[in-house]
Amino acid sequence: MSEKNLGPEGADGRAPRVLLAVCGGIAAYKACEVLRGLQRAGCDVRVTMTEDALRFVGAATFEALSGAPVATSLYGHPGSAIPHIELAEWADVALVVPATANVMAKMACGIADDCLTTTLLACHGCCPVLVAPGMNVHMWQSPATQANAETLRSRGVHLVGPDCGRLACGDVGEGKLAPVDQIVAAARAALGAGDLAGLRLVVTAGPTHEAIDPVRFIANRSTGKMGYALAEAAVARGAEVTLVSGPTALGCPAGARRVDVVSAAQMRDATLAAFEDADAAICCAAVADYTPARPADHKLKKSREHLDAIELVETADILAELCAAKGERVVAGFAAETDDLLAHATEKLRRKGADLIVANDVSRPESTFGADTNRVALVTAAGVRQLETMPLRAVADAVLDAVRDLGAAR
Ligand code: CTP
């Protein structure tokens, strides 16, 4: 890869440069929002489009938004005889939004039959390439597209999404373009913006709900605020964040990928799956330790069932499972306690095999559930570091500093 100044605060002080390659899919209009998001993040954006993309959004729109000519043809490009090479060498990162099955196939085969695909081919050795697929579920799942996606991945192309959801054609399934914020965050991470750029982090947050019957559940007082603050701070510092969240009233932090779960069992499965491709995890969720052994499939009636006991079984310890699987990766947990804070936290560090336990005394008003501040101690094998009472965002940054210093940042 050629030497370039990556990141907004690079040696020559210029803005990071993103080449946005827009293909002919219904999600092409979302590329406008991606362009705006990149500009808000301080990037200079140039656009290349396929002929088909022009049927969805006119070049004039991208020209007005980017303030520069849009490259749609190899010939007659204003001010450039060889636009594909100039664009590839200009860019710090190339971003394909939406990547159609056709363009992914061309990229995998090295086909360069228009301005966009020729430019992407020329990006090899010049800049990282990110691909955000957007297509019908059947096209995405077709063996050809899956093989092409694998080929691209094996060559270092970074795939952002696709997501699962309702598609333009009405089908529901995988193939939906990833959220704009997530695409922008991935581009920023590839640009090396932020001290956690490139770090793939899993954060668990919120409570879990353990069903007794279809209308009742066992839960706890967690609001998810601390976990969400961690996710938001990590995104702002360039990490790629998967937020596995129990039921909360909070909106997803911009740029994070949120996986919604309800029960401890669901949180375990989602967290272990996300951790497979991650560099670090922070378990902030207040996971129920017990769940009803046999949740009723109908609403229990007090006159009929005379419920006087609920048999409980232990849930899986997600943090301990992550620690068992972590290898060289960094895993942190929380200890929310009302007494003997540091003794319990130190015992959890050892018993679960974690690299860091963030101990907080939930009996104090400034560090209890739902507060906008927290007062924590960072407990590691090296010892205990007590922090002052601080806003959640500052606590989140201190926890992320500790995770980074434990070796998570690559
Ligand atoms: N945790 C987890 N899975 C569980 C229980 C807890 O991942 N089933 C994680 C929490 O997210 C937190 C840490 O483990 O990071 C400590 O949780 P806590 O409930 O305090 O620990 P327990 O081992 O359950 O101990 P106790 O409830 O007896 O204090």
Side-chain angles (χ1 to χ4, degrees):
M1 194 148 303
S2 63
E3 275 298 306
K4 288 194 179 163
N5 161 40
L6 302 184
E9 281 136 33
D12 64 6
R14 68 162 169 78
R17 297 165 174 172
V18 181
L19 171 65
L20 186 60
V22 185
C23 310
I26 186 65
Y29 72 96
K30 294 208 180 145
C32 302
E33 295 173 34
V34 170
L35 192 160
R36 276 291 195 223
L38 290 165
Q39 287 176 327
R40 275 197 296 275
C43 300
D44 188 2
V45 186
R46 296 281 181 276
V47 178
T48 178
M49 301 173 76
T50 61
E51 280 292 319
D52 285 340
L54 291 167
R55 292 175 177 269
F56 291 90
V57 186
T61 302
F62 286 105
E63 268 166 16
L65 292 175
S66 69
V70 171
T72 54
S73 167
L74 292 170
Y75 311 101
H77 190 67
S80 170
I82 38 174
H84 55 295
I85 304 299
E86 282 174 19
L87 274 174
E89 289 183 345
W90 171 87
D92 295 323
V93 66
L95 183 57
V96 190
V97 184
T100 56
N102 184 44
V103 164
M104 287 178 67
K106 287 186 189 177
M107 288 174 74
C109 292
I111 293 174
D113 61 355
D114 62 7
C115 183
L116 179 142
T117 49
T118 309
T119 307
L120 290 175
L121 191 65
C123 283
H124 174 75
C126 288
C127 67
V129 178
L130 273 67
V131 161
M135 65 191 77
N136 169 271
V137 56
H138 304 300
M139 295 174 74
W140 169 249
Q141 288 177 347
S142 80
T145 304
Q146 287 301 302
N148 291 332
E150 204 38 57
T151 300
L152 294 177
R153 274 195 203 98
S154 71
R155 293 185 190 143
V157 171
H158 181 80
L159 266 70
V160 188
D163 261 20
C164 208
R166 178 169 290 279
L167 305 168
C169 54
D171 285 348
V172 174
E174 246 186 320
K176 193 178 167 66
L177 186 76
V180 168
D181 286 340
Q182 194 183 328
I183 297 172
V184 172
R188 290 191 71 219
L191 284 163
D195 66 331
L196 299 183
L199 179 78
R200 294 165 302 175
L201 177 69
V202 181
V203 177
T204 70
T208 64
H209 288 182
E210 308 302 319
I212 298 168
D213 69 14
V215 299
R216 304 177 179 93
F217 56 81
I218 300 171
N220 57 64
R221 294 185 190 280
S222 170
T223 60
K225 281 185 178 178
M226 186 68 246
Y228 277 57
L230 277 164
E232 194 176 274
V235 169
R237 292 167 62 166
E240 265 181 66
V241 178
T242 301
L243 176 62
V244 183
S245 175
T248 73
L250 305 172
C252 181
R257 183 175 80 97
R258 185 170 74 179
V259 181
D260 290 313
V261 298
V262 176
S263 66
Q266 289 171 354
M267 184 171 278
R268 173 195 175 273
D269 292 349
T271 306
L272 290 188
F275 192 56
E276 276 180 26
D277 293 325
D279 304 305
I282 305 177
C283 291
C284 190
V287 187
D289 288 329
Y290 294 93
T291 190
R294 282 174 295 281
D297 60 4
H298 61 281
K299 184 183 171 194
L300 298 171
K301 302 302 289 178
K302 76 179 163 206
S303 56
R304 197 170 61 213
E305 269 104 357
H306 302 295
L307 184 69
D308 57 6
I310 302 169
E311 190 193 333
L312 297 173
V313 290
E314 252 186 75
T315 57
D317 190 322
I318 303 166
L319 175 59
E321 285 198 47
L322 293 181
C323 290
K326 79 184 183 69
E328 295 298 302
R329 298 177 289 177
V330 174
V331 174
F334 274 66
E337 311 287 348
T338 55
D339 52 83
D340 291 337
L341 178 63
L342 294 180
H344 285 310
T346 308
E347 186 272 331
K348 276 174 194 173
L349 184 79
R350 189 191 46 74
R351 171 164 51 90
K352 304 201 184 207
D355 299 292
L356 164 70
I357 289 288
V358 183
N360 72 310
D361 182 349
V362 287
S363 69
R364 300 160 70 117
E366 72 273 23
S367 55
T368 195
F369 296 113
D372 291 319
T373 55
N374 204 350
R375 184 169 188 277
V376 303
L378 305 179
V379 182
T380 64
V384 176
R385 191 155 70 87
Q386 178 65 55
L387 305 180
E388 297 304 312
T389 300
M390 300 190 289
L392 290 182
R393 176 59 184 263
V395 175
D397 276 319
V399 172
L400 291 170
D401 287 349
V403 168
R404 179 200 57 206
D405 294 346
L406 282 161
R410 308 250 178 262

